[in-house]
Amino acid sequence: MISAKLLIYKSPESRVNSFPQTVDIPSKEEETEEPSPSKSRLSSLEFANESLPHKDAKVAWKMQYFLKAHSYHKTHTNELHKKASRWFPVIEPILKVYGIPSDFKYVPLVESGFASGTSHKGAAGYWQFMPGTARTYGLTVNGSIDERLNIRKSTIAACKYLRALYKEFNNWTLVAAAYNVGENTIKREMYRQKKSSYYKMRLNRETATYVYKLISMKEIIENPTKYGYVSRSKSLLARREDPNLTQEKYINPQVEKAAIEALSVLSN
């Protein structure tokens, strides 16, 4: 168990060689016209296995707006794709161990862009934890140590928080909204508005657009060429068939899982 604990805190550069999706970076040599998301494309969108209610005109309009806002011509950067290829292999197995839907890996991209800075409100790290919430879920935050900046520890804490939110709401879309604004606010608005669907509620601007941003981020990472990112032949992600990569550069997925579970036991 001690050796497992040491393994889990290996350099953040370590990756699990099992990331399933291909992430292409946009080519600087050519550009395509900015795409216009179609209604048929909206019908396939979902977050954490909850389908987007695309037949609702307001929902469809907002979703189209944010998909356009995340197109290549608007963001014009490949940094998000690079960060996804670097950190998703670290985050995904931890989410899986805790039973959190894989789509929550997009939360750090929306919250912090996988940067470790501190917001004006005091939230810090990849998952943008406030100090009190971070301590509640097992992170050390004081004058000399801030574990919100540790990708693995903060992801474990985020999973514990997300799991607690799910017990409260029993709906992953509401969990995402509560992660953004706080569970008390969501519960109060559900009671006041007599609504139980995120898409039907009237919330503050940031929270009202939060899930749309998550879905948009998911779309441009998983389907970049549909949104104006020109595909390049070289994928950012390490592939098993790449002869230039050696297995020693990666943590075995089973070993990673065992290490995460051991860390969870030690941290409880």
Side-chain angles (χ1 to χ4, degrees), residues 116-130:
S116 56
T118 303
S119 74
H120 67 282
K121 295 181 180 179
Y126 304 94
W127 292 87
Q128 287 292 283
F129 272 117
M130 294 296 287

Side-chain angles (χ1 to χ4, degrees), residues 6-253:
L6 291 174
L7 175 61
I8 199 68
Y9 292 115
K10 193 174 179 180
S11 167
E13 297 292 341
S14 301
R15 299 179 184 175
V16 178
N17 193 18
S18 60
F19 189 45
Q21 68 194 43
T22 299
V23 175
D24 294 320
I25 56 175
S27 170
K28 294 181 180 180
E29 287 74 28
E30 55 178 329
E31 296 181 354
T32 60
E33 293 183 2
E34 183 174 317
S36 178
S38 64
K39 291 184 178 180
S40 61
R41 186 181 300 172
L42 296 183
S43 66
S44 66
L45 300 183
E46 52 90 24
F47 177 77
N49 297 318
E50 181 181 343
S51 297
L52 181 81
H54 63 282
K55 292 183 179 180
D56 184 307
K58 289 184 179 179
V59 171
W61 184 89
K62 288 174 71 173
M63 194 70 256
Q64 288 178 316
Y65 174 86
F66 282 101
L67 287 172
K68 285 185 178 181
H70 284 80
S71 70
Y72 175 63
H73 284 255
K74 295 292 175 61
T75 57
H76 218 277
T77 177
N78 59 25
E79 286 304 309
L80 294 178
H81 294 78
K82 288 181 178 179
K83 289 176 179 179
S85 71
R86 180 180 184 183
W87 295 119
F88 282 5
V90 177
I91 290 175
E92 279 199 313
I94 300 176
L95 293 175
K96 186 174 182 179
V97 167
Y98 281 88
I100 306 300
S102 180
D103 285 353
F104 279 89
K105 67 192 174 197
Y106 297 102
V107 168
L109 274 177
V110 171
E111 287 282 346
S112 67
F114 277 119
S116 56
T118 303
S119 74
H120 67 282
K121 295 181 180 179
Y126 304 94
W127 292 87
Q128 287 292 283
F129 272 117
M130 294 296 287
T133 306
R135 296 187 186 102
T136 297
Y137 290 95
L139 297 179
T140 299
V141 180
N142 56 41
S144 56
I145 300 175
D146 192 343
E147 291 183 336
R148 293 176 296 176
L149 310 183
N150 182 300
I151 185 65
R152 286 186 174 86
K153 285 188 175 183
S154 63
T155 299
I156 289 172
C159 286
K160 291 178 179 179
Y161 183 31
L162 292 168
R163 195 160 61 178
L165 289 174
Y166 187 75
K167 289 181 180 179
E168 188 76 39
F169 296 103
N170 197 38
N171 176 277
W172 288 114
T173 304
L174 289 174
V175 166
Y179 187 91
N180 175 255
V181 75
E183 58 267 40
N184 291 333
T185 298
I186 294 297
K187 286 191 292 185
R188 182 175 62 248
E189 291 305 315
M190 289 175 67
Y191 176 80
R192 187 177 68 84
Q193 299 179 38
K194 301 295 187 292
K195 297 183 184 300
S196 58
S197 170
Y198 165 83
Y199 298 103
K200 298 291 186 180
M201 296 169 64
R202 299 185 66 180
L203 301 164
N204 69 75
R205 179 176 295 182
E206 180 181 344
T207 307
T209 61
Y210 191 68
V211 174
Y212 294 92
K213 290 178 182 178
L214 289 172
I215 295 175
S216 298
M217 192 67 70
K218 174 184 175 180
E219 277 293 289
I220 68 163
I221 294 297
E222 295 187 1
N223 303 292
T225 58
K226 290 182 180 179
Y227 299 93
Y229 290 77
V230 179
S231 178
R232 298 178 69 176
S233 59
K234 184 178 180 181
S235 171
L236 282 170
L237 300 178
R239 310 300 294 175
R240 289 182 182 275
E241 62 269 25
D242 190 341
N244 297 319
L245 295 174
T246 58
Q247 187 65 30
E248 286 70 26
K249 292 182 180 180
Y250 299 90
I251 299 175
N252 181 281

